Amino acid sequence: MKKSVLSVFGDESGKFQSPDRYSRFYIVGMVFHDQSLDASELIRKLDDDWIKMGLANFCFHAGPLIRGEKGYKYMLREQRAKIFARMMLFARQMKFSYHCLLVDKHFVTSSRQIVERLQNQLGEFLDSGAIGADAFDTLKVYYDCGQAPVTKLLHDTCAAKLGSKVEFAQAVRPENYKLFQLADLICTIKLAESKLSHSEPLNYDESRIFRGPRIFKHDILRGIKHKEI
């Protein structure tokens, strides 16, 4: 009998420096997907639309897109907004759930405290049973090892809480997994949500892509908030 597998795609937003005037929040986002749910058609349609937009072999990365950096440097804002909107459509259509660990760095004094709080949050979340781990034979974790403390956090805590159920994918590259790119999107949306909930304004680039706080809350956040666990 084929094993049931729950994919766990992890990504992060922020830096471990504290205090940090550029990034008040540190976020680890996790996207959960039951591998028995076929997503191939949605992924094919997304790739087809990237090609129609002149973006063959495209890998979505929300932060640089919003700021107009790296591969997005010479794109008009309207084109970047269209790319963001298409990825949001994929997020609304895709069957997944997500959870974010969040640390407000106004209340910590060191990177060690950030890691400890993330570890406590992840442990409590896994203990809660919210992801229904008992229903799966395997939980397979995908992370690109972008930040060493997050790699250690995921490995140590997941192994301690899930034991032999957990596996870790090797040599994960964001361009190979649309759901990893989705985790990147989730982190970006969670960051904007956290800013607004703490009475912090969106920055200039965020406001231009999200079209302001009201539209962000109504059109973007509301489109995926029901998937949060």
Side-chain angles (χ1 to χ4, degrees):
M1 181 178 291
K2 186 176 180 180
K3 287 187 175 182
S4 57
V5 181
L6 181 69
S7 297
V8 183
F9 292 87
D11 200 15
E12 80 289 321
S13 173
K15 300 181 183 299
F16 276 95
Q17 290 89 339
S18 181
D20 179 2
R21 67 190 181 93
Y22 296 107
S23 176
R24 173 176 172 176
F25 303 101
Y26 191 90
I27 297 168
V28 175
M30 295 173 290
V31 162
F32 306 97
H33 177 252
D34 181 347
Q35 288 192 7
S36 69
L37 302 175
D38 185 13
S40 59
E41 183 63 15
L42 282 178
I43 290 171
R44 185 192 65 77
K45 288 180 178 178
L46 179 61
D47 281 333
D48 285 349
D49 283 346
W50 291 150
I51 291 171
K52 290 174 184 175
M53 295 166 71
L55 301 169
N57 303 313
F58 179 66
C59 180
F60 178 87
H61 194 179
L65 179 142
I66 289 171
R67 296 187 296 270
E69 298 172 347
K70 298 182 180 178
Y72 307 95
K73 185 175 181 180
Y74 299 105
M75 290 185 183
L76 296 175
R77 178 182 61 82
E78 290 76 13
Q79 184 180 7
R80 290 186 286 122
K82 186 177 179 181
I83 292 169
F84 186 88
R86 181 59 184 90
M87 194 65 181
M88 277 301 307
L89 176 61
F90 176 70
R92 287 194 293 269
Q93 293 175 333
M94 185 72 193
K95 292 182 179 179
F96 74 98
S97 57
Y98 73 92
H99 181 77
C100 292
L101 315 175
L102 185 144
V103 176
D104 184 342
K105 290 190 284 185
H106 280 188
F107 302 100
V108 296
T109 58
S110 67
S111 59
R112 180 178 178 179
Q113 284 189 334
I114 296 172
V115 173
E116 288 174 349
R117 294 197 179 195
L118 292 171
Q119 188 173 31
N120 289 337
Q121 288 179 34
L122 180 55
E124 291 174 1
F125 175 69
L126 294 175
D127 283 340
S128 74
I131 59 174
D134 291 343
F136 295 90
D137 297 309
T138 301
L139 279 80
K140 191 165 185 178
V141 180
Y142 298 79
Y143 179 62
D144 68 349
C145 301
Q147 294 188 8
V150 177
T151 302
K152 181 173 173 54
L153 167 77
L154 292 173
H155 276 253
D156 291 355
T157 309
C158 289
K161 296 295 183 179
L162 301 170
S164 60
K165 271 183 175 282
V166 67
E167 294 180 3
F168 296 92
Q170 302 300 310
V172 175
R173 297 175 63 86
E175 59 266 30
N176 294 335
Y177 298 99
K178 292 294 189 293
L179 291 176
F180 190 97
Q181 298 168 44
L182 186 55
D184 172 87
L185 174 69
I186 292 297
C187 284
T188 297
I189 292 173
K190 190 66 177 182
L191 175 61
E193 178 189 7
S194 300
K195 285 182 176 182
L196 294 175
S197 67
H198 288 79
S199 300
E200 288 201 353
L202 301 176
N203 64 36
Y204 175 77
D205 294 320
E206 290 167 337
S207 292
R208 284 169 64 84
I209 296 297
F210 298 151
R211 295 177 295 159
R214 187 185 68 82
I215 293 179
F216 169 78
K217 291 178 181 178
H218 186 269
D219 291 354
I220 297 173
L221 183 59
R222 194 171 72 169
I224 62 165
K225 188 66 175 176
H226 63 285
K227 299 175 187 277
E228 185 173 22
I229 56 174

